[in-house]
Amino acid sequence: MAIVSSLAGLCLAAIISAFVFRYSSSYSVSGVRIPLGSKLPRGPKGVPILGNLPQVPLTHSWLKFKEWAGQYGPLYSLSLAGNRHVVVSTERIANDLLRGRGNIYSSRPYLPMSSGLLSHNLRPVLLPYNDLWRKGRKLMHSLASESVAPAYEPVQLRESFRLLKDLLADPNNYETWFERLSAGVVLQLAYGKTVETGDEPIVRDILEVVHTLERVISPGAYLVDTFPALMWLPKWLAPFKREGDRLHKRELNLFRKNIEDVRAEIANGDQTPSFCRSWLEKEPSFGLNTDEAAYVIGTMFEAGAGTTAAALMSFMLAMVHHPEWQRRLQQEIDAVVGNSRLPNFDDIPRLPTVRAIVKETLRWRPVTAGGVPHQLIKDDVYEGVFLPAGTSIHPNQWAIHRDPSLYPDPENFRPERWLEPSWPTYREPLTQFPNLQNFSAFGFGRRICPGQAIAERSLNIAAARVGWGCTVSKMKGVEVPLYDYTAGLNVQPKRFLFELEARGDHIMRLLRENV
Ligand code: HEM
């Protein structure tokens, strides 16, 4: 009897627990079913309908995001007009999610104006995690990975030579010279075209496309990106739709023309290597039609053109504020290179201070300071925190690069963190480290910047040659702000004044002779 009643008791308990499990393995908060044992991330309280939208500054939002991380922790959420956003503020969490769980964290949020109307779902940087993105990524990898990047070094040598020459001749125009290096390298790589003045039609047209994208994608530029329901408006009531059509036609025609020009040049026997040429030669193996490939190559140009220049301008800012590091950089270059030739790529393994200064510049003043958002495509639980599918994940580089446990004394420019064993980021051997491979300044996981090997080479050689050839310093009586940066996704210091002089007559002579 006792046995029968205890069996009955067990059955009842099993039925009750199955029932409880069935109906309470999740609970619901504002329409979201949350698995039992987990909770939604915390975050600042917003207002009805708009949520936290009115609290997010239109420019330099990463500063506010970092401040909130101090209050709500390294993984907190924001609601922006009904859309869920999660801000990540440590490298560990960013890697755990965006790299470790890359199969579900590698999409992009859909922006009706930029992804849809402007790009017609063709621009790889804005594509969701789909088949077209995968094919485009395969092409990008074949064009720009670590194994092929050394082939582009001659272009980087030529452009960094011209940079140094023009910088010495006309330092006031420094922004133009850095932008020409940056655009010159990727234009040559993408389409096999050399930039001479920077005023050629192909350069002007393509830079206009880049600037349009930057404007269109800026947070708050188009109401439809915040309120996608506006897409239901008919065209005659929606000027943004007519504008999107016009802008899309313009960029598609340009990207197509660039590819067709290369096709015609090859037919005429031209041998110049380029991304376009590589794609045309192996076209069937990538499974992309002409428009799709044209956008992949166009995107490589636009993603590479401004970013490298922005980083180099921050490098100049760091050198103006830190003469002690400029001296150390010059001492290293003098010892390795001497004064009878310019630094070359063979020197880079023996120039750890140059590499440390470049890396520290990207940590101290990240180009994509707010990070590029990924989108989660499946419900997930991370360390007890529930993250619903559809959430936009923002790896806030400004905060990630200021996490004091990984980067002690984070506000200050301290290249020694990459050079001395007492710092947590130090790695040996110094012929190899520091380097920029997989550095958080280039993003995370499957979406990590495919151009990082090219960017790394452009930055190292430009920094080495500028340091070898000139000394920059503060202008008497002129205060240079430590942080007065442009607005947008990619940021650079606003124009600042500094003195620049050649490090001796031999520099000018060598530059003249090399011409
Ligand atoms: C200092 C220079 C550069 C910086 C700081 C930088 C940074 C970044 C970042 C943060 C991302 C987003 C990664 C993510 O979503 O997690 C990205 C994506 C991208 N970058 Fe770069 N980048 C630089 C240079 C370049 C260059 C030189 C190229 C091309 C030659 C390039 C091509 C791209 C492309 C095509 C994407 C989109 C990848 C995708 O969505 O799958 N970048 N970059």
Side-chain angles (χ1 to χ4, degrees), residues 176-214:
T176 308
W177 311 134
F178 286 122
E179 276 158 8
R180 191 191 56 198
L181 169 124
S182 194
V185 167
V186 281
L187 194 78
Q188 180 79 44
L189 301 193
Y191 303 112
K193 304 273 184 294
T194 307
V195 177
E196 292 300 342
T197 61
D199 208 32
E200 294 85 348
I202 184 170
V203 182
R204 262 188 287 125
D205 291 349
I206 204 157
L207 283 178
E208 205 174 314
V209 166
V210 176
H211 294 143
T212 300
L213 174 69
E214 276 170 7

mmCIF file of all heavy atoms in Angstrom, residues 176-214:
data_model
loop_
_atom_site.group_PDB
_atom_site.id
_atom_site.type_symbol
_atom_site.label_atom_id
_atom_site.label_comp_id
_atom_site.label_asym_id
_atom_site.label_seq_id
_atom_site.Cartn_x
_atom_site.Cartn_y
_atom_site.Cartn_z
ATOM 1 N N THR A 176 44.319 66.404 -47.144
ATOM 2 C CA THR A 176 44.287 65.972 -48.546
ATOM 3 C C THR A 176 45.292 64.857 -48.783
ATOM 4 O O THR A 176 44.990 63.871 -49.461
ATOM 5 C CB THR A 176 44.658 67.165 -49.473
ATOM 6 O OG1 THR A 176 43.830 68.244 -49.120
ATOM 7 C CG2 THR A 176 44.506 66.826 -50.932
ATOM 8 N N TRP A 177 46.494 65.000 -48.210
ATOM 9 C CA TRP A 177 47.537 63.991 -48.492
ATOM 10 C C TRP A 177 47.191 62.634 -47.876
ATOM 11 O O TRP A 177 47.415 61.588 -48.480
ATOM 12 C CB TRP A 177 48.916 64.465 -48.028
ATOM 13 C CG TRP A 177 49.236 65.859 -48.489
ATOM 14 C CD1 TRP A 177 49.755 66.888 -47.755
ATOM 15 C CD2 TRP A 177 49.045 66.397 -49.816
ATOM 16 N NE1 TRP A 177 49.882 68.017 -48.514
ATOM 17 C CE2 TRP A 177 49.457 67.746 -49.782
ATOM 18 C CE3 TRP A 177 48.557 65.882 -51.007
ATOM 19 C CZ2 TRP A 177 49.392 68.581 -50.906
ATOM 20 C CZ3 TRP A 177 48.490 66.708 -52.127
ATOM 21 C CH2 TRP A 177 48.912 68.036 -52.064
ATOM 22 N N PHE A 178 46.624 62.647 -46.652
ATOM 23 C CA PHE A 178 46.240 61.363 -46.050
ATOM 24 C C PHE A 178 45.068 60.735 -46.803
ATOM 25 O O PHE A 178 45.012 59.520 -46.991
ATOM 26 C CB PHE A 178 45.903 61.531 -44.568
ATOM 27 C CG PHE A 178 47.130 61.740 -43.717
ATOM 28 C CD1 PHE A 178 47.280 62.868 -42.930
ATOM 29 C CD2 PHE A 178 48.141 60.798 -43.711
ATOM 30 C CE1 PHE A 178 48.419 63.063 -42.157
ATOM 31 C CE2 PHE A 178 49.290 60.977 -42.932
ATOM 32 C CZ PHE A 178 49.420 62.122 -42.159
ATOM 33 N N GLU A 179 44.126 61.596 -47.219
ATOM 34 C CA GLU A 179 42.979 61.052 -47.962
ATOM 35 C C GLU A 179 43.428 60.499 -49.317
ATOM 36 O O GLU A 179 42.913 59.486 -49.770
ATOM 37 C CB GLU A 179 41.900 62.127 -48.152
ATOM 38 C CG GLU A 179 41.001 62.210 -46.929
ATOM 39 C CD GLU A 179 40.277 63.542 -46.787
ATOM 40 O OE1 GLU A 179 40.338 64.372 -47.718
ATOM 41 O OE2 GLU A 179 39.670 63.747 -45.714
ATOM 42 N N ARG A 180 44.403 61.174 -49.937
ATOM 43 C CA ARG A 180 44.865 60.679 -51.241
ATOM 44 C C ARG A 180 45.564 59.323 -51.075
ATOM 45 O O ARG A 180 45.377 58.412 -51.869
ATOM 46 C CB ARG A 180 45.807 61.684 -51.899
ATOM 47 C CG ARG A 180 46.073 61.309 -53.355
ATOM 48 C CD ARG A 180 47.184 62.095 -53.964
ATOM 49 N NE ARG A 180 48.403 61.952 -53.188
ATOM 50 C CZ ARG A 180 49.432 62.776 -53.279
ATOM 51 N NH1 ARG A 180 49.386 63.804 -54.099
ATOM 52 N NH2 ARG A 180 50.519 62.587 -52.550
ATOM 53 N N LEU A 181 46.360 59.183 -50.007
ATOM 54 C CA LEU A 181 47.005 57.887 -49.782
ATOM 55 C C LEU A 181 45.945 56.786 -49.622
ATOM 56 O O LEU A 181 45.988 55.740 -50.265
ATOM 57 C CB LEU A 181 47.880 57.929 -48.525
ATOM 58 C CG LEU A 181 48.373 56.550 -48.067
ATOM 59 C CD1 LEU A 181 49.883 56.508 -47.973
ATOM 60 C CD2 LEU A 181 47.769 56.105 -46.769
ATOM 61 N N SER A 182 44.982 57.092 -48.775
ATOM 62 C CA SER A 182 43.966 56.100 -48.436
ATOM 63 C C SER A 182 43.147 55.707 -49.666
ATOM 64 O O SER A 182 43.003 54.521 -50.012
ATOM 65 C CB SER A 182 43.097 56.752 -47.367
ATOM 66 O OG SER A 182 42.300 55.871 -46.726
ATOM 67 N N ALA A 183 42.619 56.727 -50.379
ATOM 68 C CA ALA A 183 41.803 56.452 -51.567
ATOM 69 C C ALA A 183 42.680 55.912 -52.695
ATOM 70 O O ALA A 183 42.262 55.027 -53.441
ATOM 71 C CB ALA A 183 41.098 57.730 -52.016
ATOM 72 N N GLY A 184 43.927 56.438 -52.783
ATOM 73 C CA GLY A 184 44.825 56.020 -53.861
ATOM 74 C C GLY A 184 45.123 54.533 -53.784
ATOM 75 O O GLY A 184 45.123 53.836 -54.794
ATOM 76 N N VAL A 185 45.363 54.038 -52.562
ATOM 77 C CA VAL A 185 45.665 52.604 -52.411
ATOM 78 C C VAL A 185 44.455 51.781 -52.843
ATOM 79 O O VAL A 185 44.565 50.887 -53.689
ATOM 80 C CB VAL A 185 46.067 52.270 -50.947
ATOM 81 C CG1 VAL A 185 46.072 50.766 -50.710
ATOM 82 C CG2 VAL A 185 47.439 52.855 -50.622
ATOM 83 N N VAL A 186 43.262 52.098 -52.312
ATOM 84 C CA VAL A 186 42.130 51.213 -52.631
ATOM 85 C C VAL A 186 41.632 51.390 -54.062
ATOM 86 O O VAL A 186 41.122 50.445 -54.663
ATOM 87 C CB VAL A 186 40.947 51.301 -51.619
ATOM 88 C CG1 VAL A 186 41.250 50.500 -50.385
ATOM 89 C CG2 VAL A 186 40.584 52.709 -51.266
ATOM 90 N N LEU A 187 41.816 52.580 -54.636
ATOM 91 C CA LEU A 187 41.397 52.752 -56.039
ATOM 92 C C LEU A 187 42.278 51.909 -56.955
ATOM 93 O O LEU A 187 41.807 51.248 -57.869
ATOM 94 C CB LEU A 187 41.458 54.224 -56.458
ATOM 95 C CG LEU A 187 40.727 54.478 -57.764
ATOM 96 C CD1 LEU A 187 39.221 54.526 -57.555
ATOM 97 C CD2 LEU A 187 41.180 55.761 -58.413
ATOM 98 N N GLN A 188 43.575 51.943 -56.667
ATOM 99 C CA GLN A 188 44.502 51.143 -57.473
ATOM 100 C C GLN A 188 44.173 49.655 -57.318
ATOM 101 O O GLN A 188 44.135 48.913 -58.293
ATOM 102 C CB GLN A 188 45.940 51.423 -57.017
ATOM 103 C CG GLN A 188 46.992 50.657 -57.765
ATOM 104 C CD GLN A 188 47.301 51.259 -59.136
ATOM 105 O OE1 GLN A 188 47.438 52.463 -59.242
ATOM 106 N NE2 GLN A 188 47.366 50.422 -60.153
ATOM 107 N N LEU A 189 43.922 49.250 -56.066
ATOM 108 C CA LEU A 189 43.645 47.831 -55.846
ATOM 109 C C LEU A 189 42.320 47.425 -56.473
ATOM 110 O O LEU A 189 42.210 46.377 -57.108
ATOM 111 C CB LEU A 189 43.592 47.514 -54.344
ATOM 112 C CG LEU A 189 44.836 47.819 -53.514
ATOM 113 C CD1 LEU A 189 44.742 47.181 -52.151
ATOM 114 C CD2 LEU A 189 46.082 47.313 -54.216
ATOM 115 N N ALA A 190 41.294 48.276 -56.308
ATOM 116 C CA ALA A 190 39.963 47.886 -56.778
ATOM 117 C C ALA A 190 39.892 47.893 -58.298
ATOM 118 O O ALA A 190 39.409 46.940 -58.913
ATOM 119 C CB ALA A 190 38.904 48.821 -56.184
ATOM 120 N N TYR A 191 40.356 49.008 -58.909
ATOM 121 C CA TYR A 191 40.121 49.166 -60.351
ATOM 122 C C TYR A 191 41.408 49.309 -61.177
ATOM 123 O O TYR A 191 41.350 49.544 -62.379
ATOM 124 C CB TYR A 191 39.232 50.388 -60.592
ATOM 125 C CG TYR A 191 37.913 50.312 -59.860
ATOM 126 C CD1 TYR A 191 37.625 51.178 -58.799
ATOM 127 C CD2 TYR A 191 36.964 49.362 -60.202
ATOM 128 C CE1 TYR A 191 36.412 51.094 -58.113
ATOM 129 C CE2 TYR A 191 35.761 49.268 -59.521
ATOM 130 C CZ TYR A 191 35.493 50.137 -58.474
ATOM 131 O OH TYR A 191 34.301 50.045 -57.794
ATOM 132 N N GLY A 192 42.564 49.238 -60.515
ATOM 133 C CA GLY A 192 43.823 49.358 -61.248
ATOM 134 C C GLY A 192 44.087 50.765 -61.748
ATOM 135 O O GLY A 192 44.834 50.962 -62.701
ATOM 136 N N LYS A 193 43.467 51.776 -61.090
ATOM 137 C CA LYS A 193 43.644 53.170 -61.549
ATOM 138 C C LYS A 193 44.539 53.930 -60.565
ATOM 139 O O LYS A 193 44.352 53.820 -59.355
ATOM 140 C CB LYS A 193 42.299 53.901 -61.599
ATOM 141 C CG LYS A 193 41.244 53.232 -62.438
ATOM 142 C CD LYS A 193 41.379 53.690 -63.886
ATOM 143 C CE LYS A 193 40.279 53.138 -64.767
ATOM 144 N NZ LYS A 193 40.277 51.677 -64.953
ATOM 145 N N THR A 194 45.464 54.711 -61.104
ATOM 146 C CA THR A 194 46.354 55.495 -60.242
ATOM 147 C C THR A 194 45.762 56.879 -60.014
ATOM 148 O O THR A 194 45.287 57.509 -60.952
ATOM 149 C CB THR A 194 47.736 55.645 -60.915
ATOM 150 O OG1 THR A 194 48.179 54.335 -61.265
ATOM 151 C CG2 THR A 194 48.740 56.291 -59.982
ATOM 152 N N VAL A 195 45.806 57.314 -58.752
ATOM 153 C CA VAL A 195 45.349 58.668 -58.447
ATOM 154 C C VAL A 195 46.549 59.599 -58.583
ATOM 155 O O VAL A 195 47.556 59.395 -57.905
ATOM 156 C CB VAL A 195 44.806 58.733 -57.002
ATOM 157 C CG1 VAL A 195 44.388 60.145 -56.639
ATOM 158 C CG2 VAL A 195 43.642 57.774 -56.832
ATOM 159 N N GLU A 196 46.449 60.591 -59.452
ATOM 160 C CA GLU A 196 47.554 61.553 -59.581
ATOM 161 C C GLU A 196 47.259 62.793 -58.748
ATOM 162 O O GLU A 196 47.962 63.090 -57.799
ATOM 163 C CB GLU A 196 47.773 61.932 -61.054
ATOM 164 C CG GLU A 196 48.307 60.790 -61.921
ATOM 165 C CD GLU A 196 49.653 60.230 -61.458
ATOM 166 O OE1 GLU A 196 50.364 60.902 -60.696
ATOM 167 O OE2 GLU A 196 49.993 59.088 -61.847
ATOM 168 N N THR A 197 46.183 63.487 -59.093
ATOM 169 C CA THR A 197 45.893 64.745 -58.385
ATOM 170 C C THR A 197 44.849 64.553 -57.296
ATOM 171 O O THR A 197 44.731 65.351 -56.381
ATOM 172 C CB THR A 197 45.331 65.777 -59.382
ATOM 173 O OG1 THR A 197 44.117 65.227 -59.915
ATOM 174 C CG2 THR A 197 46.319 66.052 -60.490
ATOM 175 N N GLY A 198 44.044 63.525 -57.393
ATOM 176 C CA GLY A 198 42.921 63.346 -56.476
ATOM 177 C C GLY A 198 41.672 64.001 -57.037
ATOM 178 O O GLY A 198 40.594 63.921 -56.451
ATOM 179 N N ASP A 199 41.826 64.659 -58.187
ATOM 180 C CA ASP A 199 40.701 65.382 -58.762
ATOM 181 C C ASP A 199 40.171 64.694 -60.031
ATOM 182 O O ASP A 199 39.348 65.248 -60.752
ATOM 183 C CB ASP A 199 41.168 66.821 -59.082
ATOM 184 C CG ASP A 199 40.001 67.786 -59.020
ATOM 185 O OD1 ASP A 199 39.089 67.525 -58.207
ATOM 186 O OD2 ASP A 199 40.005 68.763 -59.793
ATOM 187 N N GLU A 200 40.648 63.467 -60.296
ATOM 188 C CA GLU A 200 40.198 62.751 -61.486
ATOM 189 C C GLU A 200 38.704 62.428 -61.351
ATOM 190 O O GLU A 200 38.234 62.180 -60.229
ATOM 191 C CB GLU A 200 40.972 61.427 -61.634
ATOM 192 C CG GLU A 200 42.449 61.563 -61.920
ATOM 193 C CD GLU A 200 43.305 61.731 -60.672
ATOM 194 O OE1 GLU A 200 42.739 61.969 -59.581
ATOM 195 O OE2 GLU A 200 44.536 61.643 -60.786
ATOM 196 N N PRO A 201 37.940 62.370 -62.488
ATOM 197 C CA PRO A 201 36.499 62.100 -62.411
ATOM 198 C C PRO A 201 36.182 60.821 -61.633
ATOM 199 O O PRO A 201 35.267 60.816 -60.800
ATOM 200 C CB PRO A 201 36.070 61.976 -63.870
ATOM 201 C CG PRO A 201 37.108 62.722 -64.635
ATOM 202 C CD PRO A 201 38.382 62.669 -63.852
ATOM 203 N N ILE A 202 36.943 59.735 -61.851
ATOM 204 C CA ILE A 202 36.617 58.469 -61.156
ATOM 205 C C ILE A 202 36.738 58.658 -59.632
ATOM 206 O O ILE A 202 35.930 58.163 -58.864
ATOM 207 C CB ILE A 202 37.482 57.283 -61.660
ATOM 208 C CG1 ILE A 202 37.022 55.990 -60.970
ATOM 209 C CG2 ILE A 202 38.963 57.502 -61.462
ATOM 210 C CD1 ILE A 202 37.611 54.719 -61.532
ATOM 211 N N VAL A 203 37.739 59.447 -59.206
ATOM 212 C CA VAL A 203 37.930 59.653 -57.767
ATOM 213 C C VAL A 203 36.787 60.521 -57.232
ATOM 214 O O VAL A 203 36.169 60.211 -56.206
ATOM 215 C CB VAL A 203 39.282 60.340 -57.475
ATOM 216 C CG1 VAL A 203 39.495 60.513 -55.987
ATOM 217 C CG2 VAL A 203 40.420 59.531 -58.071
ATOM 218 N N ARG A 204 36.489 61.606 -57.950
ATOM 219 C CA ARG A 204 35.420 62.500 -57.484
ATOM 220 C C ARG A 204 34.091 61.758 -57.399
ATOM 221 O O ARG A 204 33.388 61.829 -56.398
ATOM 222 C CB ARG A 204 35.292 63.704 -58.419
ATOM 223 C CG ARG A 204 36.035 64.926 -57.870
ATOM 224 C CD ARG A 204 35.752 66.156 -58.680
ATOM 225 N NE ARG A 204 36.431 66.080 -59.970
ATOM 226 C CZ ARG A 204 35.821 66.203 -61.154
ATOM 227 N NH1 ARG A 204 34.534 66.405 -61.220
ATOM 228 N NH2 ARG A 204 36.522 66.122 -62.272
ATOM 229 N N ASP A 205 33.762 60.998 -58.471
ATOM 230 C CA ASP A 205 32.463 60.313 -58.507
ATOM 231 C C ASP A 205 32.346 59.287 -57.393
ATOM 232 O O ASP A 205 31.330 59.189 -56.721
ATOM 233 C CB ASP A 205 32.276 59.588 -59.857
ATOM 234 C CG ASP A 205 32.101 60.586 -60.982
ATOM 235 O OD1 ASP A 205 31.914 61.783 -60.683
ATOM 236 O OD2 ASP A 205 32.179 60.169 -62.158
ATOM 237 N N ILE A 206 33.404 58.541 -57.191
ATOM 238 C CA ILE A 206 33.312 57.451 -56.217
ATOM 239 C C ILE A 206 33.343 58.016 -54.780
ATOM 240 O O ILE A 206 32.653 57.524 -53.900
ATOM 241 C CB ILE A 206 34.361 56.357 -56.499
ATOM 242 C CG1 ILE A 206 33.881 55.040 -55.915
ATOM 243 C CG2 ILE A 206 35.714 56.699 -56.058
ATOM 244 C CD1 ILE A 206 34.492 53.836 -56.557
ATOM 245 N N LEU A 207 34.078 59.101 -54.588
ATOM 246 C CA LEU A 207 34.066 59.705 -53.249
ATOM 247 C C LEU A 207 32.695 60.315 -52.948
ATOM 248 O O LEU A 207 32.246 60.336 -51.810
ATOM 249 C CB LEU A 207 35.167 60.751 -53.104
ATOM 250 C CG LEU A 207 36.574 60.182 -52.902
ATOM 251 C CD1 LEU A 207 37.615 61.287 -52.826
ATOM 252 C CD2 LEU A 207 36.672 59.303 -51.640
ATOM 253 N N GLU A 208 32.013 60.776 -54.002
ATOM 254 C CA GLU A 208 30.667 61.316 -53.795
ATOM 255 C C GLU A 208 29.727 60.199 -53.315
ATOM 256 O O GLU A 208 28.899 60.401 -52.427
ATOM 257 C CB GLU A 208 30.168 61.901 -55.112
ATOM 258 C CG GLU A 208 29.109 62.976 -54.893
ATOM 259 C CD GLU A 208 28.737 63.634 -56.208
ATOM 260 O OE1 GLU A 208 29.663 63.967 -56.978
ATOM 261 O OE2 GLU A 208 27.530 63.780 -56.452
ATOM 262 N N VAL A 209 29.897 59.001 -53.908
ATOM 263 C CA VAL A 209 29.099 57.850 -53.466
ATOM 264 C C VAL A 209 29.402 57.532 -51.990
ATOM 265 O O VAL A 209 28.506 57.281 -51.186
ATOM 266 C CB VAL A 209 29.392 56.619 -54.368
ATOM 267 C CG1 VAL A 209 28.858 55.345 -53.765
ATOM 268 C CG2 VAL A 209 28.811 56.833 -55.754
ATOM 269 N N VAL A 210 30.691 57.592 -51.636
ATOM 270 C CA VAL A 210 31.088 57.304 -50.248
ATOM 271 C C VAL A 210 30.442 58.320 -49.306
ATOM 272 O O VAL A 210 29.860 57.966 -48.271
ATOM 273 C CB VAL A 210 32.629 57.353 -50.096
ATOM 274 C CG1 VAL A 210 33.046 57.167 -48.654
ATOM 275 C CG2 VAL A 210 33.299 56.313 -50.975
ATOM 276 N N HIS A 211 30.523 59.598 -49.659
ATOM 277 C CA HIS A 211 29.976 60.636 -48.781
ATOM 278 C C HIS A 211 28.457 60.533 -48.681
ATOM 279 O O HIS A 211 27.880 60.767 -47.627
ATOM 280 C CB HIS A 211 30.401 62.030 -49.257
ATOM 281 C CG HIS A 211 31.893 62.231 -49.133
ATOM 282 N ND1 HIS A 211 32.648 62.931 -50.031
ATOM 283 C CD2 HIS A 211 32.781 61.762 -48.210
ATOM 284 C CE1 HIS A 211 33.925 62.901 -49.674
ATOM 285 N NE2 HIS A 211 34.028 62.198 -48.570
ATOM 286 N N THR A 212 27.824 60.132 -49.798
ATOM 287 C CA THR A 212 26.361 59.958 -49.753
ATOM 288 C C THR A 212 26.006 58.848 -48.769
ATOM 289 O O THR A 212 25.115 59.002 -47.936
ATOM 290 C CB THR A 212 25.818 59.607 -51.164
ATOM 291 O OG1 THR A 212 26.145 60.678 -52.020
ATOM 292 C CG2 THR A 212 24.322 59.391 -51.146
ATOM 293 N N LEU A 213 26.733 57.721 -48.869
ATOM 294 C CA LEU A 213 26.436 56.615 -47.952
ATOM 295 C C LEU A 213 26.608 57.081 -46.501
ATOM 296 O O LEU A 213 25.762 56.823 -45.646
ATOM 297 C CB LEU A 213 27.341 55.415 -48.236
ATOM 298 C CG LEU A 213 27.199 54.271 -47.234
ATOM 299 C CD1 LEU A 213 25.841 53.585 -47.364
ATOM 300 C CD2 LEU A 213 28.300 53.222 -47.397
ATOM 301 N N GLU A 214 27.709 57.777 -46.234
ATOM 302 C CA GLU A 214 27.966 58.235 -44.863
ATOM 303 C C GLU A 214 26.832 59.136 -44.371
ATOM 304 O O GLU A 214 26.395 59.046 -43.233
ATOM 305 C CB GLU A 214 29.284 59.006 -44.794
ATOM 306 C CG GLU A 214 30.461 58.058 -44.630
ATOM 307 C CD GLU A 214 31.808 58.750 -44.808
ATOM 308 O OE1 GLU A 214 31.842 59.982 -44.919
ATOM 309 O OE2 GLU A 214 32.821 58.027 -44.867
#
